Amino acid sequence: MRHLLNILELSTDEIDRLIATADDIMDAPEKYQNACSGKILATLFFEPSTRTRLSFESAMLGLGGKVLGFSDSSSSSAKKGESVADTIAVASAYADIIAMRHPKEGAPLVASLHSRVPIINGGDGGHYHPTQTLTDLLTIRHEKGRFDGLTVGLCGDLKFGRTVHSLIEALSRYAGVRFVLISPKELELPPVVREEYIEKKGIPCKVCRSLEGAMGELDILYMTRIQRERFACEEDYQRLKDSYILTPEKLGAAKPDCIVMHPLPRVNEIDVQVDNDPRACYFRQAYYGRYIRMALILMLLEEGKDGKSVPDKAHLPLPENRLPGGVCRNPHCITTTEQGLEQCFTREGSGEYRCFYCETKVE
Ligand code: CP
């Protein structure tokens, strides 16, 4: 049985195959309309969503399957204090595949260890959002025709922006990619992402505080929302929320074939007047999301056909090289809320220890 928690779990060949399947579904949807007949997708969303949840549900319905789930944790027994592990142990007896979103980082990893069926991470806190990355890759392939040799500007909340982290990890595999990181100092990319996927790979990277300073050199401008829900202090959010607003005037300095992407939802970081520019492709991006998720559901269900589903609630196989004792310092880590979850730190090749669940470095 295979889960998708992090984009790095997919090889470049597998990403290419998913894109090819998504293209085929877009070309001939009728070929796939009964591909998941008799199968059930559970969408368990402990945090709000429009695109991810609805595109997963639309994807399963388009494949001839059925859907169940919740869009608000307050309507589930999580409200009564039920753990992620118990919720998943039960829900995975009612469905063939689960797409979930949770505000705590590492929650899908905990889910995968207690599930009878494949778990797809639909976003865990500021950590990962691999199916948004698959959506982004399909969009780039369609809009730019390639991944190699692109200069990609990432703008806004690079600290908590899980879509940005997953996209950098995915694009860092392709030759000639260059990143321009556009953010306020307070919302810079986490050091772990920068070190692992940019510096260690020798990828050219420029840090910029203004959109204007970067616009002319970009092939892709990936805008993100400053996420109010990730701030501990409302004052900080108010100070930073309008750091970057893309207007038609600013876009005027971009290359004629530069595309503007955004995982959405937007608040006001892209002026609605920009929507009329053909380079604005964020609504097309949302459209592609349905098809790449169809391809992913097909892939994970196909790989599960070997019958190796977990017969009963699984036990956590904690890594053998774990550090005894200690408490994860990340306030967004699943270990801060999940009862009965043992703290666990894994040792990196560099000798550093990281939380097994949220990957925060032990200081
Ligand atoms: N892009 C994205 O994850 O959107 P939702 O939060 O609406 O799912």
Side-chain angles (χ1 to χ4, degrees):
M1 186 173 61
R2 177 140 183 218
H3 310 284
L4 181 65
L5 309 181
N6 175 351
I7 194 70
L8 293 176
E9 292 160 10
L10 293 171
S11 68
T12 308
D13 278 353
E14 286 172 325
I15 289 175
D16 285 344
R17 282 205 298 277
L18 285 169
I19 290 175
T21 304
D23 284 342
D24 198 45
I25 299 171
M26 280 192 266
D27 287 345
E30 66 285 352
K31 260 177 31 189
Y32 295 87
Q33 65 191 0
N34 295 314
C36 286
S37 177
K39 299 289 183 192
I40 297 173
L41 166 76
T43 52
L44 309 183
F45 277 60
F46 298 81
E47 196 183 53
S49 164
T50 296
R51 276 145 294 275
T52 309
R53 187 176 64 83
L54 293 183
S55 65
F56 262 118
E57 295 189 357
S58 174
M60 192 50 153
L61 295 171
L63 293 168
K66 293 187 167 63
V67 297
L68 54 80
F70 53 83
S71 58
D72 178 355
S73 62
S74 68
S75 68
S76 79
S77 286
K79 173 85 173 164
K80 301 175 205 160
E82 187 166 41
S83 65
V84 170
D86 287 359
T87 304
I88 294 296
V90 172
S92 67
Y94 303 151
D96 299 287
I97 187 163
I98 293 174
M100 67 175 285
R101 173 173 288 185
H102 199 284
K104 291 290 180 182
E105 298 169 11
L109 172 58
V110 172
S112 72
L113 297 166
H114 294 270
S115 180
R116 298 160 182 257
V117 302
I119 296 287
I120 302 172
N121 180 5
D124 58 329
H127 197 208
Y128 293 125
H129 193 350
T131 66
Q132 180 63 48
T133 306
L134 289 172
T135 299
D136 297 342
L137 293 175
L138 181 61
T139 305
I140 293 170
R141 182 59 72 77
H142 274 250
E143 302 282 331
K144 300 299 294 181
R146 67 187 204 281
F147 298 124
D148 292 347
L150 295 170
T151 295
V152 183
L154 300 141
C155 177
D157 176 3
L158 309 189
K159 180 178 181 183
F160 300 114
R162 57 194 174 200
T163 62
V164 166
H165 307 163
S166 292
L167 185 60
I168 287 174
E169 291 176 8
L171 287 177
S172 69
R173 311 172 187 201
Y174 297 97
V177 166
R178 192 175 156 257
F179 294 115
V180 181
L181 306 175
I182 310 158
S183 77
K185 179 122 191 79
E186 297 91 328
L187 296 177
E188 278 184 344
L189 203 62
V192 59
V193 180
R194 189 167 169 152
E195 286 160 20
E196 292 294 320
Y197 304 105
I198 298 180
E199 288 168 5
K200 278 191 190 165
K201 293 185 168 193
I203 294 176
C205 176
K206 171 174 142 181
V207 172
C208 206
R209 297 282 171 233
S210 75
L211 261 175
E212 292 85 338
M215 197 62 92
E217 59 192 286
L218 305 180
D219 298 304
I220 298 173
L221 171 60
Y222 194 93
M223 294 293 293
T224 62
R225 178 174 63 96
I226 308 287
Q227 303 174 88
R228 182 179 216 148
E229 65 274 26
R230 307 274 178 241
F231 280 81
C233 168
E234 175 67 14
E235 205 175 288
D236 288 344
Y237 169 71
Q238 290 299 333
R239 186 167 46 80
L240 295 170
K241 71 182 168 78
D242 293 330
S243 298
Y244 303 101
I245 300 178
L246 181 65
T247 59
E249 293 70 38
K250 287 180 193 160
L251 189 55
K255 291 181 186 175
D257 63 348
C258 170
I259 59 167
V260 181
M261 298 175 67
H262 191 311
L264 303 177
R266 94 176 126 188
V267 182
N268 68 343
E269 59 280 1
I270 301 181
D271 187 320
V272 292
Q273 297 300 325
V274 172
D275 299 358
N276 301 323
D277 191 304
R279 292 172 290 183
C281 70
Y282 27 91
F283 291 112
R284 298 197 292 279
Q285 191 180 344
Y287 163 83
Y288 293 127
R290 176 176 191 254
Y291 296 97
I292 201 74
R293 289 183 173 104
M294 288 169 100
L296 179 65
I297 290 169
L298 287 173
M299 185 186 107
L300 294 180
L301 287 179
E302 183 62 32
E303 294 198 10
K305 275 190 182 160
D306 61 7
K308 286 188 199 145
S309 65
V310 182
D312 206 343
K313 195 173 160 179
H315 293 290
L316 207 60
L318 293 176
E320 285 177 8
N321 61 346
R322 67 187 186 272
L323 181 70
V327 174
C328 180
R329 300 276 172 226
N330 174 8
H332 307 291
C333 180
I334 185 64
T335 55
T336 60
T337 51
E338 181 81 354
Q339 68 259 28
L341 190 60
E342 188 183 327
Q343 294 276 347
C344 180
F345 301 88
T346 55
R347 190 155 178 221
E348 304 288 296
S350 60
E352 293 168 346
Y353 281 90
R354 291 188 191 279
C355 173
F356 176 55
Y357 304 100
C358 72
E359 299 174 293
T360 297
K361 200 194 290 188
V362 176
E363 299 299 344

